[in-house]
Amino acid sequence: MALWKRISIALVSLLICVSLFVGTASYGTVKKLILQNKEDDIENVLNLIDMSVTEQLLQFNAIVDSFSESQSVKEILRIGEKQSQDKNKAYLRDLSASFTSVSGIYLLNQENGLVFCSEKSTLPREDDFALSLEEEKKSPEKTMYFVGKEGIFLIRSIREKEQVLGTVILEFSPDIFTKLLINNLSTFRHQYTFILDKEGKVVCSNNSVKTDYLETVQKRYAAGERRFSFTWDKKQYF
């Protein structure tokens, strides 16, 4: 074989090796940049969810404040439902009707007897709910949340100085957050976004969350990890 042919083959082989090396290195760099951009997008989505949920809960807390600080409400609790004036009952009905995002508003006396409800009562009958009512009475600065089968309940005791007059309970549907997740913040094809209660039960989600998927996430989260990747159903998730 002529010398120039051997030189040409050597040069072509060298160019191929260099191209493969550069291509592989470039692919790795580009892939890393794309993944980093996607992770940043996910963080931005989660921050938006955090702000939206917090804003909604602040609105619900403002509603509860308007009841717990109302002198008309305190008067009804002081004198009892039977003796309370019609104007006070009308005030409660009008006040409740003005909050369209709320499923129900309930007013309980000191013994947890129902004094007023804006709709047909759907208060939970579980022992855990009764415990939440009693815990709230012992914690004047704390607002309790209870996740029931029908909805989420925000519980606040009504006080006059140190005395507990009763309790106001606001009920709202998890659908408020579900619509937020589905309509505004589900930006990825295989995205699972869900809100859990303190026991790890799903309150709402943008997709039906599979049990084994959720268990995988919960185990890693319980171990103290807050950012992690894992493979599920032959797909990698961050």
Side-chain angles (χ1 to χ4, degrees), residues 72-156:
S72 297
V73 170
K74 291 180 180 180
E75 182 181 350
I76 291 175
L77 292 173
R78 276 195 302 266
I79 64 179
E81 180 187 14
K82 294 182 180 179
Q83 288 77 31
S84 63
Q85 299 178 9
D86 290 338
K87 66 176 183 179
N88 285 335
K89 293 180 180 179
Y91 165 80
L92 286 176
R93 287 193 295 269
D94 293 342
L95 187 60
S96 300
S98 63
F99 303 119
T100 56
S101 61
V102 176
S103 304
I105 297 177
Y106 309 87
L107 189 63
L108 308 183
N109 58 24
Q110 289 175 315
E111 292 76 33
N112 296 334
L114 185 62
V115 174
F116 169 84
C117 63
S118 58
E119 300 291 339
K120 182 180 178 181
S121 177
T122 57
L123 288 177
R125 299 183 181 276
E126 295 99 313
D127 292 339
D128 289 346
F129 182 68
L131 290 174
S132 295
L133 291 176
E134 295 307 314
E135 186 176 346
E136 167 58 26
K137 292 177 182 179
K138 299 174 184 177
S139 309
E141 303 301 326
K142 188 176 180 181
T143 299
M144 297 292 298
Y145 288 89
F146 183 86
V147 180
K149 295 179 181 178
E150 303 297 329
I152 302 173
F153 298 85
L154 190 155
I155 306 168
R156 174 83 62 79

Side-chain angles (χ1 to χ4, degrees), residues 2 21-22 33 41 51 53 86 112 116 125 143 151 153 165 168 192 200 203 208 213 229:
F21 175 78
V22 172
L33 286 172
D41 289 343
M51 289 187 291
V53 170
D86 290 338
N112 296 334
F116 169 84
R125 299 183 181 276
T143 299
F153 298 85
L165 298 177
V168 59
Y192 289 85
V203 175
S208 178
Y213 177 96
S229 299

